[in-house]
Amino acid sequence: MRYLSTRGHNAQQTFSEILLGGLAADGGLYLPEKYPQVTTAQLDAWRGLSYADLAFEVLSLYCDDIPPVDLKALVKKTYTAEVYSNGRADDSAKDITPIHWLGDEAGTRLGLLSLSNGPTLAFKDMAMQLLGNLFEYTLNKRGQELNILGATSGDTGSAAEYAMRGKKGVRVFMLSPKGKMSAFQVAQMYSLQDENIYNIAIDGVFDDAQDIVKAVSNDHAFKAQQKIGTVNSINWARVVAQVVYYFQGYLLATKNSTEKVSFCVPSGNFGNVCAGHIARMMGLPIEKLVVATNENDVLDEFFKTGVYRARQSAETFHTTSPSMDISKASNFERFVYDLVGRDPVRTAKMFQDVETKGGFDLSKDDAYKTISQYGFVSGKSTHANRLETIRDIHAKYSVVIDTHTADGVKVARENLQANVPMLVLETALPIKFAETIQEALGRSPDRPAAFIGIEDQPQRVAEMPADVNQVKAFVAKHTGL
Ligand SMILES: *Cc1c(COP(=O)(O)O)cnc(C)c1O
């Protein structure tokens, strides 16, 4: 399998070649030259496979430059019930992403696809844990090392740290805004004692931390000398790892491989639902892909109108589903490339327009008329909707859902079709957003046993002013490069 850039100018690359990089050199995103097709017979043959074996089947189609025995060992090491059993009392942990059926609504079954039982209790662990093992494997093979520099306001940073802890050849330098995260999030990250994980608390807000990362990335000499890399959501390996759970969800929800299933995805940067799009393009019988946004509704607006308008920072809201608070969706270019018939020149033009003119308009374009063929529909949810949905799901089904998942359930309910099961992707556990659960239900969500008392554990963090040079000096001192 070869990979090309959505903007077209690149020499075609293998999976291992694009694994450690971010954007293609022309500013585009990597996609496979074609989507491998999965037949009904193949799907039937995959029924009953363990998650790790299913991951092997799906990933083999994309990572064909990793020897099969090695890939198999990597997925077996990644997808274990032990790693993905947080917060679950029953034995469904063996399915890694079990379905939690809520009940029957509008003539069909409504369920949650549980993606948040990994070490940091959010779906990002599903891909990040694999990435940690893939990085270690590839760096070792090449005799290289990598120093990941990132900024986080919560979810991504902790998922990256838990994925990379103890991995040979990798160090993580994670900037976070001092005093701006919840005590739970702080404890999750700063209590890690692994030698290769460096938490840096910056005097400032998230944007200050992000600006430092950008400044370091723009210093090409420093970046090369210190072997700096990232793990952001445009990384192709993260997207493809997420394709696997659409197959798992489908197989768990159906008895034979002609039935259809719909998925509803709480969306921010479009990474998660992009994986759903790819699964559907591979032939998985997905009826609808429902994109759920919060008040930051740039994606809902696009699917409803054909107009893509990136938001200014002043119009980007801080909401109670904060991991979906985006001004533009960094993975969206992958879908648009397919939508315009894989035309790299048009794609490049449109996404240059996003930078220079703030967006593009496909409302009168033939491409926009074909959107329903891709299964996409969308909807939006607000703080009031979240509270109402959390209360209603709790009252009807005695289940507590997190705020992001609540956005998904709200929009999923607007798109139910008789006899087509609807799976809402559960993207985090409620304990991560306890304040809003308290507001909705008047009580705190349950805390998984592994997290009881984590706030009292010793913490390992360096504190620093928001100063690029001090961060650079800290990185250089610890890499010794
Ligand atoms: C990252 C995240 C999302 C958004 O996922 P995208 O891939 O960016 O669309 C939704 N919910 C939670 C809890 C997240 O951490």
Side-chain angles (χ1 to χ4, degrees):
M1 179 65 75
R2 292 274 155 173
Y3 291 85
L4 39 78
S5 161
T6 50
R7 300 191 191 178
H9 307 297
N10 280 77
Q12 299 205 346
Q13 313 260 304
T14 67
F15 179 82
S16 298
E17 284 165 348
I18 64 170
L19 174 66
L20 300 171
L23 289 176
D26 58 11
L29 277 66
Y30 287 111
L31 273 179
E33 59 188 344
K34 60 181 185 306
Y35 296 116
Q37 295 300 302
V38 173
T39 62
T40 309
Q42 235 167 334
L43 272 179
D44 277 331
W46 291 354
R47 278 179 193 282
L49 289 186
S50 70
Y51 191 94
D53 287 337
L54 179 64
F56 173 74
E57 294 296 337
V58 174
L59 295 173
S60 303
L61 303 171
Y62 291 99
C63 327
D64 53 3
D65 59 336
I66 298 180
V69 285
D70 293 353
L71 185 61
K72 191 121 198 180
L74 288 168
V75 293
K76 290 246 189 240
K77 181 169 151 190
T78 304
Y79 297 112
T80 67
E82 197 189 7
V83 173
Y84 290 95
S85 63
N86 276 315
R88 237 182 350 231
D90 56 38
D91 69 352
S92 62
K94 68 171 178 15
D95 292 332
I96 308 296
T97 62
I99 297 175
H100 190 152
W101 290 111
L102 294 173
D104 289 345
E105 294 190 13
T108 192
R109 289 177 296 161
L110 175 65
L112 303 176
L113 184 62
S114 311
L115 304 180
S116 308
N117 296 302
T120 73
L121 312 183
F123 89 96
K124 292 190 172 67
D125 290 329
M126 291 305 306
M128 206 71 94
Q129 288 285 317
L130 181 69
L131 204 66
N133 287 326
L134 281 170
F135 274 18
E136 183 178 54
Y137 169 83
T138 305
L139 291 166
N140 175 44
K141 261 203 147 167
R142 299 180 165 201
Q144 293 175 352
E145 56 184 295
L146 181 72
N147 295 305
I148 294 165
L149 178 69
T152 190
S153 52
D155 282 355
T156 310
S158 55
E161 290 187 355
Y162 279 76
M164 303 297 162
R165 62 188 295 200
K167 295 281 184 283
K168 289 183 217 63
V170 189
R171 291 184 197 87
V172 177
F173 295 91
M174 192 56 69
L175 311 186
S176 50
K178 191 167 143 191
K180 303 290 189 303
M181 300 188 297
S182 72
F184 184 86
Q185 285 177 314
V186 165
Q188 241 187 341
M189 291 179 55
Y190 299 177
S191 66
L192 289 179
Q193 300 295 328
D194 305 77
E195 253 174 52
N196 69 330
I197 306 294
Y198 298 93
N199 284 299
I200 305 174
I202 294 291
D203 276 324
V205 294
F206 170 70
D207 288 334
D208 299 319
Q210 179 94 310
D211 286 345
I212 293 174
V213 173
K214 281 188 195 145
V216 174
S217 299
N218 287 332
D219 181 343
H220 298 290
F222 182 86
K223 200 178 157 192
Q225 196 215 351
Q226 295 296 324
K227 307 185 190 310
I228 302 285
T230 58
V231 286
N232 51 25
S233 82
I234 53 125
N235 181 292
W236 166 253
R238 282 182 65 182
V239 175
V240 76
Q242 292 169 175
V243 170
V244 178
Y245 53 69
Y246 286 87
F247 280 84
Q248 173 75 332
Y250 176 84
L251 293 169
L252 292 175
T254 57
K255 289 211 168 55
N256 74 65
S257 308
T258 54
E259 293 168 55
K260 296 249 178 180
V261 173
S262 290
F263 291 88
C264 179
V265 188
S267 294
N269 275 317
F270 205 78
N272 200 355
V273 74
C274 185
H277 163 67
I278 291 164
R280 197 173 182 278
M281 295 297 277
M282 291 169 72
L284 190 68
I286 296 176
E287 177 71 23
K288 279 185 187 168
L289 283 167
V290 186
V291 178
T293 74
N294 65 16
E295 290 88 335
N296 296 293
D297 58 355
V298 39
L299 289 169
D300 182 40
E301 183 175 276
F302 173 79
F303 284 106
K304 294 230 165 80
T305 67
V307 176
Y308 185 69
R309 187 178 67 83
R311 308 302 198 239
Q312 307 290 319
S313 16
E315 321 165 84
T316 308
F317 306 107
H318 290 285
T319 74
T320 45
S321 44
S323 302
M324 292 155 61
D325 293 348
I326 49 112
S327 53
K328 56 187 175 196
S330 54
N331 274 291
F332 189 50
E333 183 168 336
R334 288 194 159 106
F335 169 65
V336 171
Y337 177 70
D338 284 340
L339 182 68
V340 299
R342 296 204 138 205
D343 179 340
V345 178
R346 277 197 75 188
T347 309
K349 171 82 172 65
M350 282 190 285
F351 283 89
Q352 275 144 16
D353 285 350
V354 173
E355 296 311 316
T356 56
K357 300 179 190 157
F360 53 79
D361 181 352
L362 288 183
S363 60
K364 291 177 191 69
D365 197 285
D366 285 344
Y368 179 62
K369 291 180 198 130
T370 67
I371 226 155
S372 62
Q373 291 169 25
Y374 292 89
F376 276 105
V377 289
S378 72
K380 140 181 194 181
S381 163
T382 64
H383 180 67
N385 297 137
R386 283 191 275 288
L387 294 181
E388 197 189 330
T389 306
I390 290 168
R391 284 186 195 119
D392 186 66
I393 293 295
H394 182 248
K396 275 208 181 78
Y397 305 117
S398 303
V399 173
V400 182
I401 54 174
D402 104 286
T403 51
H404 306 76
T405 309
D407 290 329
V409 170
K410 188 264 180 185
V411 177
R413 281 173 153 171
E414 296 164 353
N415 288 283
L416 295 173
Q417 285 167 283
N419 302 318
V420 182
M422 172 69 80
L423 294 179
V424 178
L425 273 50
E426 179 205 54
T427 55
L429 290 194
I431 186 66
K432 295 201 89 170
F433 305 95
E435 258 174 46
T436 309
I437 305 301
Q438 180 78 40
E439 185 183 348
L441 300 178
R443 69 165 177 87
S444 246
D446 297 335
R447 183 179 281 223
F451 292 86
I452 291 169
I454 61 164
E455 291 91 340
D456 305 327
Q457 287 167 13
Q459 299 191 349
R460 185 166 171 267
V461 58
E463 295 186 359
M464 232 168 269
D467 176 60
V468 181
N469 289 324
Q470 289 198 36
V471 171
K472 281 184 178 168
F474 182 90
V475 170
K477 181 177 157 207
H478 289 97
T479 63
L481 291 169

